[in-house]
Structure formats: C-alpha cells, structure tokens
Amino acid sequence: MIAPDANKTSNSNRRIALATMLLVMIGALTTTVVLFLTTDILIRGKKETDDEGAQAQETKSSPPKQDANTFDNPSPPDTIPDFDGYEDPFPQFDDIKDTLSGPWPECVGMEGNECANLILKDSPDLAGNIFLIPPNTPVTEDYRLSRVRIMVDNNNIVVEIPLRG
C-alpha cells in the first residue's frame, strides 16, 4: 500500500509537470503568432515602400513600364546551339564497363584475404574499397563501380563470385 503522503507528492508532481507543459505550449504559440505577424508587417511595409518608390519613379517621366514577360529581344534565336561537341562529365556504366576489371570467378573457394589481394593486384583503383562480408551481414543495395564485396563463409572462404557494385 502507498503511503498517503506519497500519493499527495505524486499528484503534486503531476500538476507541476502539467503546468510546465502548458506554459511551454503557450510560449510556443505566442512565438509563432509574433513571428507570423512580424513577417506579415514586414512584407506589407516593404510592398508599401516599393509602391511609393515606383510612383516616385513614374512621376519623373520614366519610360513606360514593361510587362514582366517582355524581353529586350522578343524574337527567338535563328539557330539552335549545337551540342554535338558536348561531353558528359559523368561517364555512364555502358560507356566504361568494358574498361573495368572483374568479375573474379577464380576467387570462389579461395580464402577471403587471398581473393582481396588478387583483386587489388588486378585493379589498383579499388584500393580501400574491397570488403569481406561474413554471412548474414546486412549491406546497402546501392551500386558503386568503385567497390567490391567479397562474400565469405564462417571459415573466411569465398562463396560467391566477387564483382564490382
């Protein structure tokens, strides 16, 4: 059984927590309203200032105001730019797949570190991006040509053909 004084203390703590939450919510609401109104006033004030400035400019015999859709040269260009010389800075897989080494079927049955060394000797560009993956290890599904995952069993023996990706 809970002592009566403990029950009063518990209710008192609940009331304090509830009051604190209420004050925080009121503060957040007040801040939101103030920010909304301040932003609205600033926008209105800027519009009024811009309108007054525009009227003052017009009274100084400025040229007629152009529509927002009017350009200095309304006619379209006579020729369309030639993009035949454009080179894509990001090569596509189909463009470079023949220049990349791999897959490495000879690794199946090898020890994982042996396979990693073989791949590194064949493709030095993969340095730091060759990973031994034990069974039941979650991996991301993104495809990267600069990475090789070597799937090994509990004895560190390669069980799948390593390839880029």
Side-chain angles (χ1 to χ4, degrees), residues 1 12 24 44 47 60 73-74 83 156:
M1 180 171 170
S12 176
V24 168
R44 266 199 230 139
K47 281 184 182 176
K60 292 182 183 177
N73 185 4
F83 290 107
N156 200 29

Side-chain angles (χ1 to χ4, degrees), residues 15 39 44 54-55 64 67 70 74 80-81 83 91 94 104 113 120 132 141 145 160:
R15 287 186 184 131
T39 305
R44 266 199 230 139
Q55 289 173 356
D67 184 16
T70 305
I80 297 175
F83 290 107
D94 292 336
W104 295 271
N113 294 332
L120 191 56
L132 297 178
E141 292 187 15
L145 293 174
E160 290 182 26

Side-chain angles (χ1 to χ4, degrees), residues 58-80:
E58 288 178 9
T59 56
K60 292 182 183 177
S61 69
S62 62
K65 208 176 194 182
Q66 289 186 346
D67 184 16
N69 294 327
T70 305
F71 300 99
D72 292 336
N73 185 4
S75 62
D78 294 333
T79 59
I80 297 175

Side-chain angles (χ1 to χ4, degrees), residues 1-163:
M1 180 171 170
I2 298 176
D5 291 337
N7 199 13
K8 288 181 184 177
T9 305
S10 177
N11 284 339
S12 176
N13 287 343
R14 286 184 188 147
R15 287 186 184 131
I16 291 172
L18 186 60
T20 304
M21 286 181 11
L22 187 61
L23 288 173
V24 168
M25 292 169 87
I26 290 172
L29 181 62
T30 304
T31 303
T32 304
V33 169
V34 167
L35 287 174
F36 177 76
L37 292 176
T38 305
T39 305
D40 192 42
I41 290 170
L42 289 174
I43 291 172
R44 266 199 230 139
K46 181 167 176 36
K47 281 184 182 176
E48 290 172 5
T49 306
D50 289 348
D51 290 343
E52 290 171 5
Q55 289 173 356
Q57 286 288 344
E58 288 178 9
T59 56
K60 292 182 183 177
S61 69
S62 62
K65 208 176 194 182
Q66 289 186 346
D67 184 16
N69 294 327
T70 305
F71 300 99
D72 292 336
N73 185 4
S75 62
D78 294 333
T79 59
I80 297 175
D82 182 20
F83 290 107
D84 289 339
Y86 174 76
E87 189 174 316
D88 189 1
F90 303 103
Q92 301 300 313
F93 175 70
D94 292 336
D95 299 336
I96 62 173
K97 69 180 176 184
D98 296 330
T99 64
L100 300 175
S101 57
W104 295 271
E106 63 271 20
C107 283
V108 176
M110 284 180 147
E111 187 177 305
N113 294 332
E114 255 183 82
C115 178
N117 289 332
L118 176 87
I119 293 171
L120 191 56
K121 190 183 295 182
D122 187 37
S123 300
D125 62 303
L126 293 170
N129 290 313
I130 301 173
F131 303 97
L132 297 178
I133 310 295
N136 301 320
T137 302
V139 293
T140 59
E141 292 187 15
D142 58 327
Y143 189 79
R144 296 184 186 186
L145 293 174
S146 62
R147 173 183 62 205
V148 173
R149 291 182 176 144
I150 303 172
M151 304 298 178
V152 295
D153 63 10
N154 290 328
N155 298 321
N156 200 29
I157 303 297
V158 179
V159 293
E160 290 182 26
I161 298 174
L163 51 102

